Amino acid sequence: MTDIGSRRGILALCGLMIAAALAGCSGESATNASTATASSGDFDFAGNTPLGEVIPPAQRESAPTFTGELLDGTAFESAELAGEITVLNFWGSWCAPCRVETPEFQAVYADVADSGVEFLGVDVKDNRQMAQAFVESVGAEYPSLFDPRGEVAMAFRGFPANVVPSTILIDPAGQVAAVYVAVVPEDDLRRAIDQLLAEETPR
């Protein structure tokens, strides 16, 4: 009985620690992000979407708006993505899996760029010069925001900003259609995009 009670106590403590960690990601740090905003009713991270799948349209929540600066210094606003399917990929030049994932994303981008699909990288916790060298080395042609403090990720409330690579899909209505907190294989990304392209009209 003592061992069972002890194990229950440990499990309860672990649960409290996890809840506290999630609260830390989704609370004040999100509202303090100077380059991102989120309003009531916007997306709140509740868990991963299975790879290759998307959230049913009726269950989607609005993505927050954000602004920032691209790697080349150009100002950027998320409003530029309105009406398009968007693949938002968080990466870093220091991230080994990103070196495998990014060329596969580029291959998909090259195939769907003329079909109403936008790709936007978000380079986090990085050095601009190293990030630019990474983009050139892997041949990524789609733009990337330079976001060394992870403010864009924090705008997606509760989203684990420290998990890189990770990817968020946004539908043409500006709603979060999928959240992948893992490397996304090329075939899975293509399948998810195909599902969004097959949706008749944005809601």
Side-chain angles (χ1 to χ4, degrees), residues 3-18:
D3 289 343
I4 293 174
S6 177
R7 281 195 290 269
R8 286 177 176 169
I10 292 172
L11 289 173
L13 178 60
C14 289
L16 288 172
M17 292 173 66
I18 292 171

Side-chain angles (χ1 to χ4, degrees), residues 36-181:
T37 60
S39 60
S40 178
D42 282 349
F43 169 85
D44 276 294
F45 179 72
N48 304 344
T49 309
L51 289 175
E53 298 183 18
V54 298
I55 300 167
Q59 298 177 20
R60 295 175 192 169
E61 298 174 331
S62 297
T65 59
F66 55 87
T67 63
E69 184 177 280
L70 300 179
L71 281 176
D72 65 5
T74 304
F76 178 85
E77 296 183 2
S78 58
E80 297 177 31
L81 304 171
E84 306 282 0
I85 295 168
T86 301
V87 179
L88 192 66
N89 177 246
F90 296 86
W91 63 275
S93 65
W94 43 268
C95 162
C98 297
R99 190 162 293 278
V100 176
E101 182 184 64
T102 306
E104 295 190 355
F105 273 44
Q106 169 59 33
V108 179
Y109 169 71
D111 289 341
V112 302
D114 294 330
S115 303
V117 182
E118 297 284 351
F119 277 57
L120 179 66
V122 183
D123 175 42
V124 299
K125 300 184 178 179
D126 214 343
N127 170 281
R128 191 188 296 265
Q129 187 173 6
M130 293 181 66
Q132 290 172 326
F134 174 90
V135 167
E136 292 176 5
S137 70
V138 298
E141 298 176 356
Y142 52 86
S144 279
L145 285 170
F146 182 56
D147 187 25
R149 294 186 294 181
E151 292 176 327
V152 173
M154 288 189 291
F156 289 82
R157 296 179 302 191
F159 184 75
N162 292 326
V163 180
V164 177
S166 56
T167 301
I168 296 175
L169 300 188
I170 302 173
D171 69 17
Q175 296 182 309
V176 175
V179 182
Y180 307 123
V181 187

